[in-house]
Amino acid sequence: MRREYNGGLIAFSRFFSSFASKSCSPESSIHCQFRLLYVACESLTTTHTFSWLLRQCIDGRSITGLKKIQTQMLKSGFPVEISGSKLVDASLKCGEIGYARQLFDGMRERHIVTWNSLIAYFIKHRRSKEAVEMYRLMITNNVLPDEYTLSSVFKAFSDLGLEKEARRSHGLAVILGLEVANVFVGSALVDMYVKFGKTREAKLVLDRVEEKDVVLITALIVGYSQKGEDTEAVKAFQSMLGEKVQPNEYTFASVLISCGNLKDIGNGKLIHGLIIKSGFESVLASQTSLLTMYLRCSLVDDSLRVFKCIEYPNQVTWTSLISGLVQNGREEMALSVFRNMMRDSIKPNSFTLSSALRGCSNLAMFEEGRQIHSIVSKYGFDKDKYAGSGLIDLYGKCGCSDMARLVFDTLSEVDIISLNTMIYSYAQNGFGHEAIELFERMIHLGLRPNDVTVLSVLLACNNSGLVEEGCAFFDSFRKDKIMLTNDHYACMVDMLGRAGRLEEAEMLITEVINPDLVLWRTLLSACKIHRKVELAEHITRKVLEIAPGDEGTLILMSNLYASTGKWNKVIEMKSVMKEMRLKKNPAMSWVEVDRETHTFMAGDLFLHPNSKEILETLEDLIRMAKDLGYVEDKSCVFQDMEETAKERALHQHSEKLAIAFSVWRNVGGNIRILKNLRVCVDCHSWIKIVSRVINREIICRDSKRFHHFRDGSCSCGDYW
């Protein structure tokens, strides 16, 4: 009998398919098929028939067909609990949650499978709130959950942050004996506690599960990695290997991130070997994590080798490489990689663009940064906080605080990162009052300042000569129990020192538990500004007790002796430095012209192919500057030589050469130069006059701040 029925059903299915294809157009073919199905409904009344008919409706996603089949099932006297469950399942597979819920609500008795189907549907479609509501209704109806219910609903609890309710359901799982015995429930619990940030509870659950698998342990490793408990992540991975559980690509990816954060290259390379042995070397997730791990361990060449082995790098891989190169000081290479990414038609995301922009800002590559800004606009990231912060940083470090503020004001979401970046931009460019105003806005928004905020505010006061305001902020930060670092104290020491309050600056250093070399050198620099030789010698003795033969300290003392005409002392210092084989870093300046960076070193012009033209232009600029009152400040020469030789040495300072080159090349708009040391007094005076001579703004970013030279004056107010 069964064989005859099946044969008839197959024959009928062939018949209606043939009929529909011959008699109907493609557009109405599905309707023809269902007309025949409805005819079949009237003559065939077995469970297999209805199951087959439901499958046709699911394949055609026909809710109308389901409704007609429901009518026929009721006419045929099918048990409601059977027909209802099948129809709910078919409705969900057709994506008709409204009809499925209508059917569900009309059922007197609901099987656990039907409850699970609805909960799973809500979870799959990210409707966690409705999934939890369905679960609550299930409990209210005295239906006990099974492993499928709990493994689904635990995800919904974590999505909604319902920790208390999640713990109650965890207790129910324990009572039902599902926590220990069922790996699916165990994995869901571990994942849930990880997302709540409760790695301790996640570990306790894992330890109780009888048969551990790769999903369970990987969930814990991911949790440790995301919470920054990288040492625990590595330990969990090692335990996993000890229990003979084979890692998968997600396990490797997560533990490699932890190795990178720990800069644990030993374990990182061992895991690389395991990846090769396990056959995951060509899996993109593993390759990307390997690349990132090597970059975080500063092994750029190893990361590039991994990248070259990737056949089709995706957006995440390109972004990881670009970001890692910038973090390792390989900005030019990062920008080259970014260009290759664009040539390969890989769409960047906001993190990609943010990293590329930071590469430009570190090199002060204004024009290339503006081109990336156009890419930001093209892809609609103008209001994105990550790309926005990158743009603010770019314009701030290129001396364009007004453009940085325009970007800041267009952001859809202002957070601590974008605020800090904008405050720091104002600080570097000497706009102290604007920085303070923005800081007060941050406080009004209820955002708590972090260490970057504190440093930016103090730097803003320092670079604008707002000493009293800076001291008031510093006292306020201490009262608010904000953790102050040596960098914050160094900024205050510099501020007080430049204001001539050297004793206060020294007292501040004594408050620090472990004052480092930077703090003492900062005070020593202040002594050089005010030519306090005795205090400088006292500080030098202290520094050399901490770090005998410290290069920076010896150079500062040599320069101080030179500026006060103590040439015998200069000879002594240089003799000591020579014996120790210490060499002073040369002063260097960079200028970007036509997207190409040109480097100039003080007194070393003749390697440049255009040295003749640069010198001729420089001589003209010096002559015109002298006509307007420029006089060389020979105290800036730290060598004992004839007066004419001192003048010649001053004329070939690196920033003067860079400006002369820009003028010769007839660079349009503002001239932007970058310098590795603080600009000297002589160059500062000369550039002020030259800005008036050429009637253009000259923006100089030295090691401490920006100087905007315009019409014979500087934005720093001669305070730097």
Side-chain angles (χ1 to χ4, degrees):
M1 183 70 180
R2 176 70 60 193
R3 188 177 301 162
E4 290 175 4
Y5 161 74
N6 286 338
L9 185 59
I10 293 167
F12 187 84
S13 68
R14 288 174 180 168
F15 164 72
F16 87 76
S17 297
S18 173
F19 178 86
S21 62
K22 290 177 181 177
S23 307
C24 306
S25 65
E27 293 79 7
S28 61
S29 174
I30 189 67
H31 300 293
C32 293
Q33 290 183 26
F34 282 120
R35 281 200 297 275
L36 290 170
L37 285 174
Y38 305 151
V39 172
C41 285
E42 295 174 1
S43 56
L44 300 173
T45 56
T46 66
T47 303
H48 287 81
T49 308
F50 283 116
S51 296
W52 177 79
L53 291 170
L54 288 173
R55 171 52 55 193
Q56 305 308 311
C57 290
I58 292 167
D59 291 344
R61 300 182 71 82
S62 172
I63 195 65
T64 306
L66 285 177
K67 288 179 179 179
K68 292 195 176 183
I69 292 171
Q70 179 195 10
T71 303
Q72 185 59 31
M73 292 177 87
L74 292 172
K75 284 182 182 179
S76 303
F78 268 75
V80 175
E81 62 272 13
I82 295 176
S83 62
S85 296
K86 286 182 175 292
L87 284 165
V88 168
D89 181 65
S91 300
L92 293 173
K93 287 175 179 175
C94 288
E96 293 290 342
I97 181 63
Y99 181 54
R101 187 60 194 266
Q102 181 184 334
L103 289 167
F104 178 83
D105 290 340
M107 296 169 65
R108 293 180 181 178
E109 294 184 15
R110 301 154 181 152
H111 194 274
I112 183 69
V113 173
T114 309
W115 290 96
N116 287 344
S117 295
L118 283 163
I119 292 171
Y121 177 89
F122 287 131
I123 295 292
K124 182 181 177 181
H125 292 83
R126 299 183 180 181
R127 295 164 69 169
S128 298
K129 186 177 180 182
E130 289 163 281
V132 171
E133 287 172 355
M134 181 61 64
Y135 172 74
R136 290 169 181 163
L137 182 62
M138 178 182 179
I139 299 299
T140 304
N141 280 263
N142 297 316
V143 179
L144 286 176
D146 61 11
E147 63 266 29
Y148 301 108
T149 321
L150 292 170
S151 58
S152 294
V153 81
F154 285 143
K155 184 180 187 310
F157 287 141
S158 60
D159 289 343
L160 299 172
L162 301 174
E163 188 176 341
K164 288 184 179 179
E165 191 166 355
R167 288 181 182 275
R168 286 197 296 270
S169 296
H170 181 186
L172 181 57
V174 173
I175 292 169
L176 295 172
L178 295 172
E179 182 210 42
V180 174
N182 192 279
V183 72
F184 296 108
V185 175
S187 296
L189 276 167
V190 169
D191 182 66
M192 180 187 73
Y193 281 122
V194 156
K195 288 176 179 174
F196 284 140
K198 307 290 184 181
T199 50
R200 179 177 171 274
E201 286 85 343
K203 178 67 165 58
L204 288 172
V205 171
L206 182 140
D207 289 341
R208 287 198 294 267
V209 175
E210 292 172 351
E211 293 186 14
K212 300 174 178 60
D213 67 358
V214 63
V215 176
L216 180 71
I217 303 175
T218 299
L220 181 63
I221 292 171
V222 169
Y224 281 138
S225 180
Q226 290 176 345
K227 200 182 175 187
E229 297 179 19
D230 299 301
T231 302
E232 295 303 318
V234 174
K235 286 180 181 177
F237 178 77
Q238 291 168 340
S239 298
M240 179 182 194
L241 297 179
E243 294 185 23
K244 308 295 183 184
V245 177
Q246 178 64 38
N248 61 23
E249 58 187 281
Y250 305 106
T251 323
F252 285 128
S254 297
V255 75
L256 280 170
I257 290 170
S258 291
C259 288
N261 292 338
L262 295 169
K263 301 195 185 319
D264 185 356
I265 191 59
N267 274 318
K269 288 193 171 183
L270 286 173
I271 293 167
H272 190 173
L274 280 173
I275 288 172
I276 296 170
K277 186 178 178 182
S278 303
F280 289 109
E281 189 179 18
S282 60
V283 176
L284 190 57
S286 300
Q287 291 172 318
T288 302
S289 298
L290 272 171
L291 180 146
T292 305
M293 185 271 294
Y294 282 125
L295 284 168
R296 288 182 180 174
C297 293
S298 301
L299 297 175
V300 174
D301 292 337
D302 292 272
S303 69
L304 292 173
R305 277 193 287 272
V306 172
F307 184 77
K308 286 177 182 177
C309 295
I310 303 175
E311 190 172 0
Y312 299 108
N314 62 12
Q315 183 192 73
V316 175
T317 309
W318 283 101
T319 301
S320 298
L321 180 58
I322 293 165
S323 174
L325 288 171
V326 171
Q327 289 168 4
N328 280 279
R330 303 283 190 93
E331 290 89 355
E332 290 183 7
M333 185 182 289
L335 293 171
S336 176
V337 170
F338 176 73
R339 294 184 207 108
N340 291 337
M341 176 183 178
M342 298 303 294
R343 278 195 288 269
D344 281 4
S345 300
I346 304 295
K347 181 183 176 181
N349 59 24
S350 60
F351 299 105
T352 323
L353 294 166
S354 174
S355 298
L357 286 166
R358 292 193 188 279
C360 290
S361 64
N362 290 348
L363 297 173
M365 296 181 72
F366 180 69
E367 291 303 325
E368 182 146 359
R370 288 186 67 178
Q371 289 185 5
I372 295 174
H373 189 171
S374 67
I375 297 172
V376 170
S377 300
K378 176 183 175 181
Y379 288 112
F381 291 119
D382 300 79
K383 297 181 180 181
D384 179 84
K385 61 182 180 181
Y386 299 106
S389 294
L391 284 168
I392 295 167
D393 187 55
L394 166 75
Y395 290 125
K397 288 181 178 175
C398 288
C400 301
S401 289
D402 53 344
M403 294 179 72
R405 186 57 191 256
L406 282 173
V407 173
F408 177 82
D409 288 338
T410 60
L411 294 180
S412 57
E413 179 185 352
V414 174
D415 63 359
I416 190 76
I417 296 172
S418 54
L419 279 162
N420 282 347
T421 308
M422 191 65 236
I423 293 171
Y424 187 73
S425 169
Y426 279 140
Q428 273 199 312
N429 285 275
F431 298 112
H433 293 291
E434 289 83 351
I436 291 170
E437 182 183 347
L438 202 56
F439 171 70
E440 289 171 349
R441 176 180 167 184
M442 176 192 284
I443 300 301
H444 181 72
L445 288 170
L447 296 172
R448 181 173 173 80
N450 59 21
D451 57 336
V452 178
T453 319
V454 173
L455 185 62
S456 299
V457 170
L458 295 177
L459 183 64
C461 295
N462 188 7
N463 286 344
S464 303
L466 304 174
V467 181
E468 295 305 326
E469 290 87 342
C471 291
F473 277 121
F474 189 74
D475 290 339
S476 172
F477 294 140
R478 283 200 286 194
K479 286 177 184 176
D480 291 342
K481 302 291 177 65
I482 292 174
M483 184 67 70
L484 297 173
T485 67
N486 281 9
D487 289 338
H488 301 134
Y489 277 91
C491 194
M492 281 302 299
V493 168
D494 189 45
M495 186 190 306
L496 293 169
R498 285 200 283 160
R501 295 159 64 169
L502 298 173
E503 291 181 2
E504 289 179 63
E506 187 177 9
M507 285 292 294
L508 200 59
I509 294 176
T510 60
E511 292 182 16
V512 180
I513 298 172
N514 292 308
D516 57 17
L517 294 178
V518 175
L519 278 167
W520 290 113
R521 279 190 201 157
T522 303
L523 184 55
L524 194 58
S525 294
C527 292
K528 176 180 171 293
I529 293 170
H530 298 285
R531 301 187 180 184
K532 299 288 186 180
V533 177
E534 289 184 9
L535 180 57
E537 288 174 336
H538 166 67
I539 294 167
T540 299
R541 285 192 291 271
K542 282 193 171 186
V543 173
L544 295 179
E545 286 176 7
I546 301 170
D550 178 62
E551 179 182 356
T553 301
L554 296 173
I555 290 170
L556 277 170
M557 276 308 302
S558 175
N559 291 345
L560 175 55
Y561 286 137
S563 65
T564 53
K566 298 181 181 294
W567 298 111
N568 290 335
K569 291 286 188 179
V570 173
I571 293 168
E572 283 181 25
M573 298 302 294
K574 288 192 173 182
S575 177
V576 172
M577 291 168 66
K578 188 175 180 180
E579 287 177 10
M580 298 177 63
R581 297 183 180 179
L582 300 178
K583 190 176 181 180
K584 181 181 177 182
N585 289 329
M588 300 177 71
S589 293
W590 297 266
V591 63
E592 182 190 0
V593 176
D594 295 332
R595 295 184 64 188
E596 184 180 355
T597 302
H598 296 262
T599 304
F600 296 91
M601 191 180 299
D604 190 17
L605 176 64
F606 300 100
L607 293 175
H608 198 283
N610 305 110
S611 58
K612 181 182 176 183
E613 292 84 356
I614 295 170
L615 283 173
E616 288 174 355
T617 306
L618 181 59
E619 287 173 5
D620 290 340
L621 291 172
I622 290 171
R623 177 178 49 78
M624 288 186 282
K626 284 187 174 182
D627 291 343
L628 292 176
Y630 165 65
V631 178
E632 292 89 347
D633 188 339
K634 294 165 189 171
S635 67
C636 295
V637 179
F638 303 130
Q639 292 176 311
D640 189 10
M641 56 177 69
E642 294 181 359
E643 297 301 301
T644 54
K646 286 184 178 182
E647 289 183 8
R648 204 161 44 245
L650 288 170
H651 292 172
Q652 292 192 19
H653 275 195
S654 63
E655 52 266 61
K656 290 189 176 80
L657 297 174
I659 291 169
F661 173 74
S662 300
V663 172
W664 172 70
R665 284 288 296 266
N666 195 26
V667 175
N670 301 333
I671 294 173
R672 287 182 172 80
I673 62 172
L674 179 65
K675 183 175 168 60
N676 66 331
L677 304 175
R678 281 193 184 185
V679 62
C680 74
V681 174
D682 178 74
C683 286
H684 195 271
S685 301
W686 181 80
I687 299 172
K688 282 198 299 182
I689 297 173
V690 169
S691 69
R692 184 177 170 190
V693 168
I694 63 176
N695 194 29
R696 284 157 69 185
E697 183 176 354
I698 302 172
I699 301 168
C700 175
R701 174 177 140 195
D702 68 12
S703 62
K704 294 294 180 182
R705 59 165 299 155
F706 272 95
H707 299 266
H708 296 256
F709 299 94
R710 189 186 299 114
D711 196 28
S713 63
C714 180
S715 60
C716 73
D718 297 338
Y719 182 82
W720 83 100

